[in-house]
Amino acid sequence: MSAGVGTHPALALVASVVEDVRKVAAMLTADEVWTLTDADLELMIRAQSQLDSAVAAVGVRAVREADVRGLSLADGKISTAVWLGQKLNLHPAEARARVKDADILSRKGTATVQALADGKLNKDQARAVARSLRKIEPVGSASELAKAETFLLAKAHDADPSGILRLGKHIEEVIDEDGKPPAPDPDDPDGNAPAESKRAARAQRKRSLTLTDLGNGLHRIRGELTDEVAALVKTALDPLAAPRPAVNGQRDERSAPQRRHDALGDVFRQFLRFGDLPPSHGVRPHLHVTASVETMAGDTGHPFARTATGEDLDIATVQRIACDAGITPIVANTLGVPLAMGREVRTATPAQWSALVARDIGCIGEGCTRPAAWCEAHHIEWWDRDEGPTDVDKMALVCSHEHYLIHHQGWGVRMAADGHPEMIPPKWVDKEQRPRRNAHWQLVRDGLKVPPEDPDPPPPNSPRRE
């Protein structure tokens, strides 16, 4: 990847530094790095860390400026994080973290950025300071925030990132000991609510829950629950998480965390089956799994099935789910495009929606990772303007942002020769109007197909066919 050389003098310096570092990398190959003495090796590692720090400082200032200028909007992206992730091929979480760090450090942590540029902090320490300042900002004054940064920088010399985070948490608790006062209450205009009310208000602000795909068949749940929600979770899980002896009387070999995991799955399976949930696209919320006929038949030579939210399921799991599930057969061609799905109506039928999910998986916008549940079925040939039909091959899944771009910003959608939709930017974004595809869902879709076998090479003495 090349940084490129533009018109600003700083870019010429960056290009020169990049070239020099590449020369060092070429000089210190795996066969040559042993020539460094122990002292030189330590100096090289320290120099590399300082280089990382200086580059990170440049990145903080550049990302913040890109965010302020709104470069993402000019490129048709919903946020700077999405734009940055696409430009640098970053994990979405890393892209979001860089934008958040650039925001808080540029506004409230300028001394941290300078320390980073001077090599007094490494980039992980700077990120810890940024995270701490973000937590302190909602509860602290400008003066308290400045003092917090000064304190953290003073302690950073002897503290690793986790230590900085602990110090930041301590500062937050000192500043916000009783919680930020709740919004004015008509019944308590003077703000004399008891401590219990302030505690509840603080908990309400801090509540959170995230679900992270670890990429190894597991997902991490992390969050902070209010007392009420925690009580509901415990009430639902505890009866189901009790040890269950086997039929032969042997003890339950599952650990307590494993039993709680299994109980959580039981709760949601029951809720999706019998709970009172609002319908989505004409059907009740349900687990949507796309699998080939061969996978359903148990053929191990075919890939895993995949849920509409991106999780891989092995054959045994799919077959177990299929024992107690409604199955919607979708006939697809060799390119993975569903065929023959219904008649013309204004909105996509449940069967058509299932076909769109099987084909597009999620929003077709470039760089967008929003799953099908967050999307709408857009008529490629507009229903009102073009009298377009409601056919699967004339529709595409788009999130609300991409739908806005299409109807208000001059973006278009077309169906490519392989039967998959792609977006066309307006000329003010790309003069050549080159089609754009969603590489994220393309990778997901490719994971559901078996690559064709390479043909056997011809015998050495046989004539080649041109």
Side-chain angles (χ1 to χ4, degrees), residues 126-345:
R127 173 161 289 182
V129 173
R131 287 180 58 184
S132 298
L133 295 179
R134 281 203 303 273
K135 293 289 187 67
I136 297 170
E137 185 178 27
V139 299
S141 64
S143 174
E144 289 171 328
L145 205 60
K147 291 179 180 178
E149 183 192 22
T150 300
F151 176 79
L152 292 174
L153 290 179
K155 298 295 184 180
H157 179 71
D158 298 316
D160 63 14
S162 62
I164 294 174
L165 290 173
R166 286 194 296 271
L167 291 171
K169 181 66 175 176
H170 174 70
I171 295 173
E172 179 191 0
E173 292 174 349
V174 169
I175 294 176
D176 193 30
E177 181 178 0
D178 293 325
K180 189 176 181 180
D185 189 334
D187 298 328
D188 182 34
D190 298 326
N192 296 321
E196 290 79 5
S197 298
K198 295 180 179 180
R199 177 177 179 274
R202 183 184 185 191
Q204 190 70 8
R205 293 199 318 273
K206 287 178 168 291
R207 73 194 190 282
S208 66
L209 187 68
T210 59
L211 184 64
T212 304
D213 186 352
L214 301 179
N216 59 356
L218 296 172
H219 294 70
R220 176 181 292 120
I221 294 179
R222 179 179 297 165
E224 296 182 71
L225 309 180
T226 62
D227 288 338
E228 178 188 2
V229 173
L232 292 172
V233 171
K234 292 177 181 177
T235 301
L237 294 186
D238 285 352
L240 297 173
R244 293 199 302 264
V247 178
N248 58 8
Q250 291 184 348
R251 62 184 294 273
D252 193 333
E253 296 183 353
R254 298 174 300 164
S255 66
Q258 289 173 333
R259 295 198 306 270
R260 284 193 290 271
H261 168 279
D262 297 345
L264 185 65
D266 291 339
V267 167
F268 283 108
R269 273 189 287 270
Q270 288 294 98
F271 187 61
L272 288 174
R273 185 179 300 161
F274 302 115
D276 185 16
L277 289 173
S280 175
H281 302 284
V283 295
R284 284 173 49 82
H286 62 287
L287 182 62
H288 189 121
V289 180
T290 302
S292 67
V293 175
E294 292 82 3
T295 297
M296 293 295 294
D299 187 344
T300 57
H302 289 264
F304 286 176
R306 185 173 285 267
T307 69
T309 50
E311 293 78 25
D312 289 323
L313 301 179
D314 58 50
I315 292 174
T317 301
V318 174
Q319 290 177 332
R320 173 174 56 78
I321 293 174
C323 287
D324 187 27
I327 299 177
T328 302
I330 300 178
V331 181
N333 64 17
T334 56
L335 296 173
V337 180
L339 305 175
M341 292 298 297
R343 61 188 180 85
E344 292 185 12
V345 289

